[in-house]
Amino acid sequence: MASSSTSVVVSNKEKENKNTKKVTLKSSDGESFEVDESVAMESQTIKHIIEDGHYSSLALSLSVKTTMASSSTSVVVSNKEKENKNTKKVTLKSSDGESFEVDESVAMESQTIKHIIEDGCANNEIPLPNVTSGILSRVIEYCKKHKEAAGESEPSVTSYTSNSTTNPLTEWDTEFVKVDQNTLFDLILAANYLDIKGLLDLTCKTVADMMKGKTPQEIRETFHIKNDYTPEEEAEVRKENQWAFE
Amino acid sequence: MAKHQTVADEEEAPIHGDVLEAILTHVPLIDLVPASHVSTSWKGAVFSSLRHLNPVKPWLIVHAQSTRHPYTTTSHAYDPRSHVWVDIEQPSIKYVSTLRSSHSNLLYMQSPFRFVFSSDPLQLTWHQAVAPLVWRPDPIVAQVGERVVIAGGACDFGDDPLAVETYDLTTRAWDTCDDMPAILKDSCASTWLSVAVDKSKMYVMEKCSGATHSFDPITKTWQGPYDLRPDQNVFSSIIGFVNDRMFVVGLVGEAENVKSVKMWEVKGEMLDMKTEISEMPKELVAKLKGQSPRVTSIGMNSMGNFVFLHNPSDPAEVIVCEVQNGGSFCSWGSVGNAAVDDGSRIVKNLVYTCANVGLGELHQALRSGDRRFTIKEEME
């Protein structure tokens, strides 16, 4: 680690377009790093220099090697970049205690979570006692995927065509719901609780497809529903619909 | 076969209540019939879902009658609630003559000896009547309340070309009325005239001119002509009712080059107030035109707040319009015509009706024992 005196030239450059003032930090071994002023001000030392207005012409000595400077700078840059992009994070906690950190914008695919955040009740960690970690991780996967795609797809025209060619994620969605029945039901309940329309529609439609072309008894067996019709009522129903259900 | 035993303390089925109702919105109507028989709570969920979440919507039924002996008919229904086509298996309609339809929900066939017709949603009952006095190859036919009206379209020799007869369903007897306006005399109804009915009257519009007459079968009087041509540039108009409101659909431009298709509402005692409601999007006009070089007129079926339009010269695509919020907003779409896509090379006579088909109608149809409904596999 070099401890010889170094010189850092901090210069102020204004970028007209983006309106972000830049400063240039020069390390001991001569490498220059141009960063946003706000980023550089993560360093209290540099902050004071800038605020004192001494930077325009003075060379500063900083005993900082290139790699260290660049790494700390890059860490600073990345954090600040994230803030500039407005990617706040929230933590969602499942019923079994696991925490998931996600971008706030992704979490807000859930209307329920959106309201919690907007009401200011978030405190950075949102407990979801109705959703297990296994389901929550899948839900988050869905939200991320759809959030990404949201920027690219056009709003679909109401189409009466049977094929839903307007949704670019159709294939991905189809794979997403290829799960066992219990998981599928849990996803529906989660989507309902979290109020995520797209996921609710997708999972409901998948379950609806499981009912097609089935007789009442077949539906009961698929979904484990108890038949609570009396034998007389049942006979009546069967008689009426004999043809359809044979 | 051992009955499936549920454990007494098994947890409540996860799918119930709101969630079940949401799922049921995605289940096509014909599958809601068995779903309603699963259990008493499922029955409640089915009815609630239909009432509040995704209500029943009118079906467009396309009847394809083969033009060769034994003239079998097949029926395909489009259900806009679930965006699916339903194949209806039913006993073939017994051939009397060429199947025809009028004003969206009447199907009929007539020969010199018989007149048979049906106007219930799924054609479960056919009314058999003797033929009217005057034989007409192509008359105006309409059912207004309990009466069927037959007018015009008679041969020129001998028989009264302006004869109008009404058939009373309750007495099963024909009656003759006032002659119809001479202007309608030479028109072959199915080609040149558009017919619509409301609760009390029949309306007959000449497609080219938009001139419309109304007929009241109780008072047996004609009124009109009313000029219902919506606009100078409309070369063909057809008339129909959307939610009991009179609508006129007009083709703008010319037969070889249809520029646009628009919908107007007609109001007023004298039917003189015309307001433009909506215009068909350009890409749908192109679908409507299809491969046909000329579009002289189009067919319209309407029920509730749905309008279905097709081009008889190329019926491959059916244009669907849902009129919402009392006409302030119309959503347009198109769907491939299942009756055209069935790949058979036999030339068919396609006839269109529109019907309010709900669970009750399906139950009734299934109870008759000779009908089966299956969802058509998705077409490419």
Side-chain angles (χ1 to χ4, degrees), chain B residues 60-86:
Chain B
L60 175 74
I61 308 182
V62 187
H63 310 269
Q65 182 189 45
S66 164
T67 49
R68 291 202 196 151
H69 186 80
Y71 309 101
T72 47
T73 47
T74 52
S75 300
H76 310 265
Y78 177 68
D79 178 0
R81 173 183 170 273
S82 308
H83 312 303
V84 290
W85 280 93
V86 177

Side-chain angles (χ1 to χ4, degrees), chain B residues 326-342:
Chain B
S328 59
F329 176 68
C330 292
S331 55
W332 292 87
S334 72
V335 65
N337 188 341
V340 169
D341 286 347
D342 70 356

Side-chain angles (χ1 to χ4, degrees), chain B residues 250-265:
Chain B
L251 301 180
V252 175
E254 51 191 14
E256 290 78 12
N257 181 17
V258 175
K259 292 212 174 63
S260 64
V261 179
K262 294 185 186 178
M263 243 171 20
W264 284 263
E265 179 180 358

Side-chain angles (χ1 to χ4, degrees), chain A residues 160 163 188 213 220 228-229 243, chain B residues 31 36-38 40 369 378:
Chain A
Y160 287 94
N163 297 326
I188 293 183
R220 284 185 205 119
D228 60 351
Y229 280 113
W243 257 91
Chain B
D31 288 312
S36 65
H37 293 309
V38 165
T40 54
E378 281 200 5

Side-chain angles (χ1 to χ4, degrees), chain A residues 46-151:
Chain A
I46 298 177
K47 184 167 183 264
H48 293 316
I49 293 170
I50 292 171
E51 283 173 348
D52 291 347
H54 290 166
Y55 63 89
S56 56
S57 53
L58 283 181
L60 303 164
S61 44
L62 287 177
S63 3
V64 180
K65 227 177 134 182
T66 308
T67 51
M68 279 187 68
S70 66
S71 63
S72 65
T73 311
S74 62
V75 165
V76 165
V77 166
S78 64
N79 278 343
K80 269 291 185 178
E81 268 175 12
K82 276 186 183 164
E83 273 180 55
N84 290 344
K85 278 188 191 167
N86 224 9
T87 47
K88 285 169 75 179
K89 299 262 186 192
V90 293
T91 307
L92 308 175
K93 196 161 169 193
S94 68
S95 59
D96 45 345
E98 214 178 302
S99 291
F100 297 83
E101 194 189 50
V102 293
D103 286 352
E104 192 183 82
S105 57
V106 168
M108 304 238 279
E109 288 279 289
S110 152
Q111 294 298 307
T112 307
I113 293 177
K114 182 166 184 273
H115 293 144
I116 292 174
I117 293 174
E118 287 172 345
D119 289 351
C121 306
N123 285 341
N124 285 329
E125 188 167 277
I126 301 175
L128 301 171
N130 292 5
V131 190
T132 63
S133 54
I135 298 299
L136 186 53
S137 66
R138 282 185 202 267
V139 170
I140 290 170
E141 199 190 325
Y142 176 89
C143 293
K144 272 192 191 153
K145 188 74 181 177
H146 280 253
K147 187 77 194 156
E148 273 168 30

